[in-house]
Amino acid sequence: MALTREQLAQRVAQEFQDGYYVNLGIGIPTLAANYIPDDVQVMLQSENGLLGMGPFPLDEEVDADLINAGKQTVTMITGASLFSSAESFAMIRGGHVDLTVLGAFEVDCQGNIASYMIPGKLIKGMGGAMDLVAGADNIIVTMTHASKSGQSKLLAECTLPLTGKGCIDRVLTDLAFLDIADGKFILRERAPGVTVEEIIGLTDGELIVPDNVPEMVF
Amino acid sequence: MALTREQLAQRVAQEFQDGYYVNLGIGIPTLAANYIPDDVQVMLQSENGLLGMGPFPLDEEVDADLINAGKQTVTMITGASLFSSAESFAMIRGGHVDLTVLGAFEVDCQGNIASYMIPGKLIKGMGGAMDLVAGADNIIVTMTHASKSGQSKLLAECTLPLTGKGCIDRVLTDLAFLDIADGKFILRERAPGVTVEEIIGLTDGELIVPDNVPEMVF
Amino acid sequence: MSGFDKVVSSYEEAMAGLEDNMTIIAGGFGLCGIPENLIKEIKRRGTKGLTIASNNAGIDGAGLGLLLEDKQIKKMIASYVGENALFEAQMMSGELEVELTPQGTLAEKMRAGGAGIPAFYTATGYGTPVGEGKEEREFDGRPYILEKAIRGDFSIAKAWKADRFGNLMFRKTARNFNPMAVTAGKIAVVEVEEIVAVGQLDPDEIHLPGIYVNRLIKGTFEKIIEQRTVRSA
Amino acid sequence: MSGFDKVVSSYEEAMAGLEDNMTIIAGGFGLCGIPENLIKEIKRRGTKGLTIASNNAGIDGAGLGLLLEDKQIKKMIASYVGENALFEAQMMSGELEVELTPQGTLAEKMRAGGAGIPAFYTATGYGTPVGEGKEEREFDGRPYILEKAIRGDFSIAKAWKADRFGNLMFRKTARNFNPMAVTAGKIAVVEVEEIVAVGQLDPDEIHLPGIYVNRLIKGTFEKIIEQRTVRSA
């Protein structure tokens, strides 16, 4: 079975290590904050100028001056810090964030990512995504493995305009967890009940399948 | 008579306008702070990270954490602000300081300045001087017009390694106040009792002498 | 007060000198920390042909969105322009030019503009549409693109507290682009919630020194929330 | 405490991993705001062949001057190196290499190193010995030179207060190069006068977020004054 949104978020959260500073993109990445293991503390970076983002506020705590990068009202955890956008992206571009998780339309086996623009459709902009993929050493892309019509989104070469070139080395899809290295996808884990054959069939870019591809454990 | 150090400082202070942010180099420029006109308020920038430098402290006020760019203990005026060296030079390089006053060994009629290094002698370094001359639009160089042996320091071309190229347009010496424009010195004022001929004789670079060269008024 | 008193008495005075076809650098992220009243004053003045650098372009009927109603903006330099139907319509019709700029690059371009750095290299945007036509260069084996500083005729920004000298403090994530925006305009106009006496701000806690500020005004703010999200107790 | 607790229990632990021939980025201006005890620990370790980027090189017997006594420094990147006879002697004899760098350029090189900017253009140093061998380029009719970022294996810095997460506050002009120095080292070590409980620092007033800090230690400081200047009452 393909992973649910919640399972994707859970699997992302397994990558969190104690003491990690993490930037979570809008959507499934943000959900991962709900599954942080008990023995692990991570600090969430919000690129609009907050390190130590907390949960949504109680109704009476809502503060128009305290939002996240998705413009949602949030809170701060104890030990948080606030700073300008220039400082925030100095942090991101300088590689100080330990883990970045974000969504994509397509990735390819060269490590390219397309996530912000579909030609002919409305262009809303890249926000901080280009900075995040260029600045982080440790990125996980979360996405569906293929479109509803069965078209692979793990390509030999991205068809959409790129958000970043050669900067992605890990992809978590609803079917599999893959590394990208030397121009190839490498299958590391599969979703429970999903076969290696299914993944091969829905992966367009060159795919290395090790002898043992364990199922994800939740 | 050649100006004294105090007169040089006084003449510099006449250039202060109300509301000016000013950076004063070590030596005579610093002395100018003692002659700020009563109806004028200036704020002194110290490039080690202080805007709003006050006088030296009383003995009991001395604070090792509060020094100026010459490493002297200082105080802050009401309304001062503190910041990092990067921010300080953002301010300087970005042209936000209204007036910079600093000393020099030589200037020439191309607007070049040499102030930090005499080959063969000990090289101590340029500190912030290169940033100051490159960043400021409004600079006054204060210096003696000639060496004790009568060698001009206002040259056709600097002989010493440069601190900045083409960035000086006003020079105050112990004999004269001059502009620099279009590759020429222009004599604007002379020290009381100093003749135009004396100045001509001690100026090596091309010198324009207007019909009327008033004496400085103190 | 002294020559360092930056306080002006009206919004009209705050934006005096703004002319058609000028460039404005604006602070704010979404509708958070935007100079609401300075934007309304620009709308009141009817200034046209403006180029505005701001992370976002407001929403319909609020923030910079107000300036779209009378087609005052010629060009928008922003990282994200969604959630704005009027913007979309003017962009699609070609009336409004848009230069999409990555958020961190935009912040750094504003900082560079204020800091006398004419251009810098960044990996952000390399190999993407943002890098097209820009110089590429390797440093230590990694490719980067050259990005130029941005400066404006005016800056408009919003801070929390200021003293009359224009020393500024921002509050929470309403800081965002505001400090850099202030530094990058020839005439920097800042509106604040509170103006305190000089000496009331701790010099160590000032976020941006008054040297960057030309005009200061106290405003009242609506502070519209774009995405009010709450949890239950 | 959590994985964000940066506090180490000894100076030995603070500088663990420092090896010969490494590069260190150091905060401080003159003897103001220098990481006194981290420097003493480097002296105790006897690490040799160091490249150190710091605005100054201390004075005889204090600050980085201590590391000259056993010839631990191979190369100094600084803007001003006067007031130090031992430094002068080693420089003149060729034992010590010196790369004079304008003060603002040095600060910006450290910031760039921490901020992922590999290089930037500046007018500072154009047409001077500092510009020799560097690329020159015009922007808007004005010439600039290309300066590269600087990064270190270690940063050593001194702050005033910190919480255990490494969130830092600096005091007065002891801030100087310290914030940028912290960001530019792979392992950033900071010593402070006081460590407070997490939550004691106002998030709006933190000068440098703990994300940049790897190791934190509380020290006691001598705070030598180079030029004690006073006025009479």
Side-chain angles (χ1 to χ4, degrees), chain A residues 22-171:
Chain A
V22 179
N23 184 294
L24 300 176
I26 295 168
I28 288 164
T30 297
L31 278 182
N34 299 334
Y35 299 100
I36 301 169
D38 284 342
D39 57 344
V40 163
Q41 203 178 355
V42 303
M43 206 176 278
L44 302 179
Q45 205 260 13
S46 187
E47 64 262 31
N48 54 318
L50 167 60
L51 186 65
M53 181 166 56
F56 293 141
L58 296 173
D59 194 63
E60 63 272 24
E61 290 174 335
V62 166
D63 183 341
D65 287 341
L66 187 55
I67 65 169
N68 66 15
K71 283 116 186 174
Q72 298 171 309
T73 46
V74 293
T75 56
M76 295 188 282
I77 65 165
T78 302
S81 54
L82 295 152
F83 35 84
S84 73
S85 299
E87 181 62 42
S88 183
F89 283 93
M91 216 174 261
I92 289 167
R93 205 191 300 103
H96 303 279
V97 174
D98 296 300
L99 176 63
T100 291
V101 187
L102 79 174
F105 301 142
E106 298 175 347
V107 296
D108 70 28
C109 51
Q110 305 302 324
N112 299 326
I113 173 171
S115 67
Y116 85 104
M117 175 180 173
I118 298 177
K121 288 206 183 178
L122 180 65
I123 300 161
K124 292 188 174 186
M126 68 294 282
M130 283 193 184
D131 307 281
L132 282 160
V133 297
D137 288 328
N138 188 11
I139 303 172
I140 299 175
V141 172
T142 61
M143 59 193 296
T144 53
H145 207 100
S147 69
K148 281 173 191 163
S149 62
Q151 286 238 291
S152 176
K153 297 179 178 181
L154 274 60
L155 305 175
E157 194 176 345
C158 286
T159 64
L160 297 171
L162 299 184
T163 307
K165 186 164 173 148
C167 48
I168 305 300
D169 54 17
R170 286 201 292 172
V171 186

Side-chain angles (χ1 to χ4, degrees), chain D residues 67-84:
Chain D
L67 305 186
L68 297 167
E69 295 170 359
D70 302 317
K71 300 184 180 173
Q72 294 179 259
I73 306 178
K74 181 178 66 182
K75 179 178 175 181
M76 195 69 216
I77 301 166
S79 86
Y80 188 81
V81 294
E83 278 74 73
N84 193 324

Side-chain angles (χ1 to χ4, degrees), chain C residues 212-225:
Chain C
Y212 294 108
V213 177
N214 298 97
R215 301 174 192 169
L216 183 69
I217 189 163
K218 181 178 176 308
T220 54
F221 297 85
E222 203 177 349
K223 293 195 183 181
I224 296 172
I225 293 172

Side-chain angles (χ1 to χ4, degrees), chain B:
Chain B
M1 284 284 293
L3 299 184
T4 62
R5 283 167 60 85
E6 282 67 29
Q7 284 177 309
L8 275 161
Q10 273 181 275
R11 182 61 193 85
V12 166
Q14 290 177 14
E15 298 298 306
F16 293 165
Q17 292 181 22
D18 194 33
Y20 259 20
Y21 298 97
V22 178
N23 185 295
L24 299 177
I26 295 169
I28 287 164
T30 296
L31 278 184
N34 298 333
Y35 298 99
I36 301 169
D38 284 343
D39 56 344
V40 164
Q41 202 177 356
V42 304
M43 206 176 278
L44 302 179
Q45 206 260 13
S46 187
E47 63 262 32
N48 55 317
L50 167 60
L51 185 66
M53 180 165 57
F56 294 141
L58 296 173
D59 194 63
E60 63 271 24
E61 290 174 335
V62 166
D63 184 341
D65 287 342
L66 186 56
I67 64 169
N68 65 16
K71 283 118 186 173
Q72 297 170 310
T73 46
V74 293
T75 56
M76 294 187 284
I77 63 165
T78 302
S81 54
L82 295 152
F83 36 83
S84 73
S85 299
E87 180 64 42
S88 182
F89 284 93
M91 216 174 264
I92 289 168
R93 207 189 300 103
H96 302 279
V97 175
D98 296 299
L99 175 65
T100 291
V101 187
L102 79 172
F105 301 141
E106 296 175 346
V107 296
D108 70 27
C109 50
Q110 305 302 325
N112 299 326
I113 173 172
S115 67
Y116 85 104
M117 174 182 177
I118 298 177
K121 288 207 183 178
L122 180 67
I123 300 162
K124 292 187 172 184
M126 69 293 284
M130 282 193 185
D131 307 282
L132 282 160
V133 297
D137 288 327
N138 188 11
I139 303 173
I140 299 175
V141 172
T142 60
M143 58 193 298
T144 52
H145 207 101
S147 69
K148 281 172 191 164
S149 62
Q151 287 237 293
S152 178
K153 297 179 177 180
L154 273 60
L155 305 175
E157 195 175 344
C158 286
T159 63
L160 298 170
L162 299 185
T163 306
K165 186 164 171 147
C167 47
I168 305 301
D169 54 18
R170 284 201 292 171
V171 186
L172 174 66
T173 74
D174 53 344
L175 304 185
F177 207 150
L178 308 97
D179 286 343
I180 303 175
D182 301 324
K184 302 179 183 70
F185 292 108
I186 305 159
L187 184 57
R188 294 298 184 199
E189 297 175 26
R190 56 203 166 84
V194 172
T195 65
V196 166
E197 288 66 33
E198 281 179 81
I199 294 164
I200 292 173
L202 288 168
T203 304
D204 182 62
E206 186 173 349
L207 178 68
I208 304 286
V209 182
D211 291 342
N212 178 31
V213 180
E215 283 191 356
M216 293 174 198
V217 178
F218 290 97

Side-chain angles (χ1 to χ4, degrees), chain A residues 1-3 7 174-175 190-195 214-218:
Chain A
M1 284 285 293
L3 299 184
Q7 284 176 311
D174 53 343
L175 303 183
R190 54 202 166 86
V194 172
T195 65
E215 282 190 357
M216 293 176 200
V217 178
F218 291 96

Side-chain angles (χ1 to χ4, degrees), chain C residues 67-83:
Chain C
L67 304 187
L68 297 166
E69 295 170 359
D70 302 316
K71 300 184 180 175
Q72 294 179 261
I73 307 179
K74 182 178 67 183
K75 180 177 175 181
M76 196 68 217
I77 301 167
S79 86
Y80 188 82
V81 293
E83 278 74 74

Side-chain angles (χ1 to χ4, degrees), chain C:
Chain C
M1 289 281 298
S2 77
F4 294 101
D5 188 358
K6 308 294 174 74
V7 180
V8 296
S9 53
S10 70
Y11 276 93
E12 193 171 347
E13 193 183 341
M15 292 309 297
L18 182 69
E19 291 172 17
D20 288 356
N21 303 310
M22 279 186 165
T23 296
I24 297 173
I25 317 289
F29 180 91
L31 298 182
C32 182
I34 58 170
E36 295 181 14
N37 302 292
L38 294 172
I39 293 168
K40 285 177 188 158
E41 169 62 16
I42 296 170
K43 180 173 173 66
R44 191 196 66 75
R45 299 175 89 88
T47 319
K48 304 274 189 191
L50 296 170
T51 295
I52 301 186
S54 163
N55 189 58
N56 311 90
I59 61 172
D60 287 312
L64 292 172
L66 292 174
L67 304 187
L68 297 166
E69 295 170 359
D70 302 316
K71 300 184 180 175
Q72 294 179 261
I73 307 179
K74 182 178 67 183
K75 180 177 175 181
M76 196 68 217
I77 301 167
S79 86
Y80 188 82
V81 293
E83 278 74 74
N84 193 323
L86 199 51
F87 190 98
E88 189 179 330
Q90 291 184 20
M91 182 169 69
M92 289 305 191
S93 73
E95 290 169 293
L96 176 61
E97 185 187 345
V98 180
E99 184 176 319
L100 287 176
T101 304
Q103 195 173 140
T105 296
L106 182 59
E108 192 69 11
K109 281 163 83 85
M110 289 184 192
R111 179 191 179 271
I117 303 289
F120 58 91
Y121 288 93
T122 176
T124 302
Y126 166 77
T128 78
V130 165
E132 278 169 26
K134 290 175 184 158
E135 182 194 307
E136 297 179 357
R137 185 186 297 204
E138 280 198 10
F139 294 94
D140 295 327
R142 193 172 173 200
Y144 296 85
I145 59 172
L146 183 67
E147 290 280 5
K148 289 186 185 160
I150 189 167
R151 296 212 61 193
D153 299 294
F154 273 81
S155 300
I156 57 172
K158 192 258 170 188
W160 175 41
K161 276 204 281 198
D163 64 22
R164 298 184 72 94
F165 285 4
N167 290 310
L168 303 181
M169 293 185 71
F170 302 91
R171 185 169 176 276
K172 300 188 178 174
T173 57
R175 192 179 324 184
N176 57 61
F177 282 82
N178 280 297
M180 293 78 70
V182 174
T183 70
K186 284 192 204 105
I187 298 175
V189 190
V190 182
E191 58 174 335
V192 297
E193 297 180 44
E194 188 183 355
I195 297 177
V196 302
V198 172
Q200 289 302 102
L201 303 182
D202 181 340
D204 266 323
E205 292 173 8
I206 289 165
H207 292 138
L208 193 74
I211 190 171
Y212 294 108
V213 177
N214 298 97
R215 301 174 192 169
L216 183 69
I217 189 163
K218 181 178 176 308
T220 54
F221 297 85
E222 203 177 349
K223 293 195 183 181
I224 296 172
I225 293 172
E226 277 185 78
Q227 305 281 342
R228 187 187 175 93
T229 45
V230 296
R231 72 180 198 277
S232 36

